[in-house]
Amino acid sequence: MLATEKAEAEKSAQRIRAADESYSKYSSGLATASQHQAVIDGLKESMMEFCSHNPGISAKDVMDMILLTHYFDTVGASPKSMSDKLIRHGPAGALKDVVAQIRRDACGDSS
């Protein structure tokens, strides 16, 4: 009888731990989703503000600049990553060409 009660108590404790872990992961997912939404909202607001003060620049142009800035922030995090991942581009390479290369590299297209 004692062994059965002990087994039932352990089974109940495992259920409680599983429920706690599930809730923790759910809460973490909600927090991550909220952070992503805040980033998206911030980018949207920044793009609208930038475009309103710079006629002729599109939201895509702004996103390309953000992508390029993020790329250099990422590869510049350590000297090794800079030498391993910096894309090649000519001195006359336009922002559009560099962004296209980043997108190709991110998608694994080596052509």
Side-chain angles (χ1 to χ4, degrees), residues 33-79:
S34 292
Q35 289 172 343
H36 290 173
Q37 188 61 52
V39 168
I40 290 167
D41 292 345
L43 282 172
K44 180 181 176 184
E45 185 178 320
S46 294
M47 283 192 318
M48 291 172 61
E49 180 72 18
F50 189 86
C51 290
S52 72
H53 293 293
N54 297 280
I57 294 183
S58 70
K60 183 181 181 323
D61 294 334
V62 176
M63 285 306 296
D64 287 348
M65 287 187 285
I66 291 170
L67 174 66
L68 187 61
T69 301
H70 178 71
Y71 173 77
F72 284 122
D73 286 347
T74 301
V75 298
S78 75

Side-chain angles (χ1 to χ4, degrees), residues 72-86:
F72 284 122
D73 286 347
T74 301
V75 298
S78 75
K80 178 154 176 48
S81 69
M82 191 67 126
S83 64
D84 288 346
K85 297 180 181 156
L86 190 60

Side-chain angles (χ1 to χ4, degrees), residues 2-22:
L2 184 60
T4 304
E5 289 175 7
K6 186 175 179 180
E8 286 296 323
E10 179 57 33
K11 188 176 174 182
S12 179
Q14 285 179 345
R15 275 195 217 122
I16 291 170
R17 284 193 298 270
D20 286 347
E21 184 178 345
S22 177

